[in-house]
């Protein structure tokens, strides 16, 4: 029997059911199947059992001894993830069961209690948080007063839609299309009426939450790790979400009758000053804190890792260009996130690095590439598409090298848990 298990005398009864429900919760959080498999294997080992685990983004199958779980629908595919306060507490539970401190049956009850918890800040927090989130992204993409006003206004509309859609899973499936249609129609009507002037770049901050940059990057990471089916399905799903968002924008164009070619010309002008992107990162993170329900103890570390990724990207851009910037930002956030996880009051690396995916903008680039393609600007679309693919590869490579480089540190985390 496993020595760790022999010393604590805690029964492994109910382990299969607990691992199945935990795997489902971790999958719904958006964690890669590579990490989920490793977590579940460590837990099974802690209770003196050997598990065979098969996980896809939409299915879980676990076998312990002669007992095998029925194939389980892991998570309904929909935009977004679990509130991050729940994810943080799930990891706290994981740290306990990796040491077999409680029985699997008790752990299962704790998991269900965690998943029943509410959003920390409620509807008001979601609305204010999304407005700040949108303005922060706007200050990164195009720091102009007009961009910030549009980002805040359209962000408030998306925030209201997200509040109204809570608990309505079927509606959430079509929410990216509806959100893209509503905000693009309002924005394009304002352009046509001469109330504002701008381009497709102004739409990106409000729609940033739906852009599947993290999904595409995780999929590429899983492909690089040898998880062919999971990686491919995430990449396909992310591409489908992009097409749905673009479809909503194109319907808005047809309804408003807006035919100005300059709409598809991106603009990254900075009319506020050099400081704007740095403030934008802070506003973005505070928005994420409110909108994604980040726990107070995790906020300082999330803010730190977001700035690490941001400065890493800036340094890389300055040294060798944008691709190296994406790689360096990804590498530094992966390493620093794991180091933070070692601390006594640790924040899981998944929570600390997840917001930084929006800073590295693979989702925004993907949307722009498709937008220019549908405008029949094929050369520009091809350039954007190549940038998208290489940026996602660069970020994934940074995550992969970071995971390999920090493997000894993760081993210490497990031993000291």
């Amino acid at each position: 029997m496993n020595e760790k298990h022999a010393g604590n005398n805690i029964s492994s009864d109910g382990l299969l059911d607990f691992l199945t429900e935990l795997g489902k919760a971790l999958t719904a959080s958006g964690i890669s199947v590579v990490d989920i498999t490793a977590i579940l294997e460590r837990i099974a080992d802690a209770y003196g059992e050997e598990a065979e685990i098969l996980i896809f983004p939409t299915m879980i199958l676990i076998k312990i001894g002669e007992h095998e779980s029925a194939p389980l629908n892991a998570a309904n595919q929909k935009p977004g993830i679990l509130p991050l306060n729940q994810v943080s507490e799930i990891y706290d539970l994981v740290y306990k069961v990796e040491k077999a401190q409680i029985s699997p049956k008790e752990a299962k009850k704790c998991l269900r209690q965690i998943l029943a918890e509410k959003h920390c800040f409620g509807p008001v927090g979601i609305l204010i948080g999304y407005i700040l989130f949108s303005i922060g992204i706007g200050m990164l993409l195009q720091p102009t007063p007009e961009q910030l006003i549009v980002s805040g206004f359209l962000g408030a509309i998306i925030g209201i839609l997200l509040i109204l859609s809570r608990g309505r899973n079927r509606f959430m499936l079509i929410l990216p299309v509806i959100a893209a249609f509503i905000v693009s129609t309002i924005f394009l009507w304002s352009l046509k009426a001469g109330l504002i002037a701008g381009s497709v770049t102004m739409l990106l901050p409000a729609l940033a939450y739906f852009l599947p940059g993290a999904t595409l990057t995780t999929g590429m990471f899983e492909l690089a790790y040898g998880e062919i089916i999971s990686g491919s399905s995430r990449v396909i799903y992310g591409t489908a979400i992009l097409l749905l968002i673009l479809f909503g924008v194109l319907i808005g164009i047809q309804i408003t009758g807006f035919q100005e070619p300059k709409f598809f010309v991106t603009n990254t002008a900075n009319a506020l000053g050099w400081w704007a992107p740095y403030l934008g990162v802070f506003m973005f993170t505070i928005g994420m804190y409110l909108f994604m329900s980040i726990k107070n103890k995790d906020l300082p570390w999330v803010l730190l890792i977001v700035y690490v990724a941001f400065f890493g990207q800036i340094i890389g851009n300055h040294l060798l260009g944008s691709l190296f910037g994406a790689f360096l930002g990804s590498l530094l956030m992966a390493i620093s996130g794991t180091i933070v996880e070692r601390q006594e009051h640790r924040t899981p690396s998944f929570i600390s690095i997840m917001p930084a995916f929006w800073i590295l903008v693979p989702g925004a680039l993907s949307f722009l590439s498709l937008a220019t393609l549908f405008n029949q600007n094929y050369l520009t679309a091809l350039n954007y598409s190549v940038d998208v693919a290489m940026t996602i590869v660069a970020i994934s490579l940074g995550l992969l090298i970071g995971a390999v480089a920090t493997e000894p540190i993760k081993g210490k985390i497990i031993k000291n848990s």
Side-chain angles (χ1 to χ4, degrees):
M1 181 178 289
N2 186 288
E3 293 181 3
K4 186 186 295 186
H5 175 61
N8 55 43
N9 297 320
I10 293 181
S11 171
S12 62
D13 291 345
L15 181 61
L16 181 61
D17 289 340
F18 169 65
L19 290 180
T20 303
E21 291 205 16
L22 178 62
K24 180 179 178 180
L26 292 173
T27 303
S29 303
I31 301 169
S32 73
V33 298
V34 176
D35 292 332
I36 296 173
T37 302
I39 289 171
L40 298 186
E41 287 177 346
R42 290 197 300 264
I43 293 172
D45 181 66
Y47 289 94
E49 302 286 354
E50 185 174 343
E52 296 179 25
I53 299 170
L54 181 64
I55 299 180
F56 300 121
T58 56
M59 191 191 78
I60 295 175
L61 185 62
I62 301 175
K63 183 178 181 181
I64 297 179
E66 297 181 356
H67 302 284
E68 183 175 307
S69 68
L72 177 67
N73 179 23
N76 295 323
Q77 287 284 17
K78 59 184 180 180
I81 62 173
L82 293 176
L84 292 184
N85 65 306
Q86 292 184 11
V87 179
S88 182
E89 293 190 24
I90 288 173
Y91 267 95
D92 288 340
L93 177 62
V94 165
Y95 299 144
K96 290 182 179 180
V97 292
E98 283 182 343
K99 294 187 294 182
Q101 290 182 333
I102 58 177
S103 69
K105 290 183 178 180
E106 185 180 352
K108 183 179 175 180
K109 292 180 181 179
C110 292
L111 178 61
R112 291 184 172 180
Q113 290 174 354
I114 291 171
L115 295 177
E117 292 181 1
K118 296 182 179 180
H119 191 285
C120 287
F121 307 105
V124 175
I126 292 174
L127 179 59
I128 296 175
Y130 200 87
I131 291 172
L132 293 175
F133 168 89
S134 183
I135 292 175
I137 294 290
M139 294 183 76
L140 289 171
L141 291 178
Q142 181 180 294
T144 64
E146 196 167 47
Q147 170 73 78
L148 303 188
I149 293 172
V150 171
S151 297
F153 178 71
L154 297 181
I157 294 174
I158 298 295
I160 293 172
L161 288 175
L162 288 169
I163 292 170
L164 295 176
S165 65
R166 288 201 304 168
R168 298 177 174 88
N169 290 343
R170 292 185 178 180
F171 182 75
M172 284 290 290
L173 293 172
I174 60 173
L175 186 57
V177 182
I178 294 174
F181 165 69
I182 291 176
V183 299
S184 63
T185 300
I186 294 173
F187 176 66
L188 292 170
W189 177 83
S190 301
L191 285 177
K192 192 173 182 179
L195 300 177
I196 57 175
S199 68
V200 67
T201 310
M202 283 192 170
L203 280 177
L204 289 175
L207 296 174
Y209 171 64
F210 301 106
L211 297 176
T215 300
L216 292 170
T217 305
T218 302
M220 189 62 68
F221 171 77
E222 290 174 342
L223 286 172
Y225 227 99
E227 296 286 348
I228 306 300
I229 297 177
S230 297
S232 300
S233 63
R234 286 191 200 272
V235 171
I236 293 171
Y237 172 68
T239 303
I241 291 295
L242 278 174
L243 291 172
L244 288 171
I245 295 172
L246 186 61
F247 178 79
V249 174
L250 293 177
I251 294 298
I253 292 174
Q254 291 183 350
I255 288 180
T256 58
F258 188 81
Q259 299 294 334
E260 177 57 56
K262 291 183 178 180
F263 170 69
F264 289 96
V265 178
T266 60
N267 184 359
T268 58
N270 184 347
L272 297 181
W274 63 267
W275 50 267
Y278 302 95
L279 178 60
V281 171
F282 180 79
M283 294 184 67
F284 159 83
T285 307
I286 297 302
M288 288 287 289
Y289 164 69
L290 296 171
F291 166 58
M292 294 298 293
S293 188
I294 295 175
K295 296 183 72 171
N296 291 338
K297 76 176 184 66
D298 295 330
L299 177 60
W301 301 114
V302 170
L303 188 62
L304 172 65
I305 302 306
V306 169
Y307 270 108
V308 166
F310 179 66
F311 283 113
Q313 186 177 37
I314 290 177
I315 294 170
N317 290 347
H318 179 73
L319 292 176
L320 293 176
S322 60
L323 293 180
F324 185 69
F327 166 76
L328 186 60
S330 173
L331 175 63
L332 292 179
M333 78 178 185
I335 293 174
S336 57
T338 303
I339 292 174
V340 164
E341 195 172 13
R342 288 191 60 192
Q343 308 307 309
E344 183 178 355
H345 301 290
R346 55 183 176 266
T347 293
S349 59
F350 171 77
I351 291 178
S352 62
I353 72 175
M354 191 274 289
F357 279 112
W358 276 277
I359 299 297
L360 300 176
V361 298
L365 285 174
S366 304
F367 179 80
L368 291 175
S369 69
L370 289 175
T372 51
L373 177 62
F374 276 83
N375 192 41
Q376 298 184 355
N377 192 339
Y378 300 117
L379 183 59
T380 303
L382 178 61
N383 290 335
Y384 268 128
S385 299
V386 172
D387 285 344
V388 170
M390 291 299 99
T391 299
I392 292 174
V393 168
I395 296 172
S396 303
L397 183 61
L399 291 175
L400 186 60
I401 294 177
V404 173
T406 57
E407 194 65 35
I409 297 177
K410 290 182 180 179
K412 291 181 181 180
I413 293 174
I414 296 167
K415 292 179 181 178
N416 297 330
S417 292

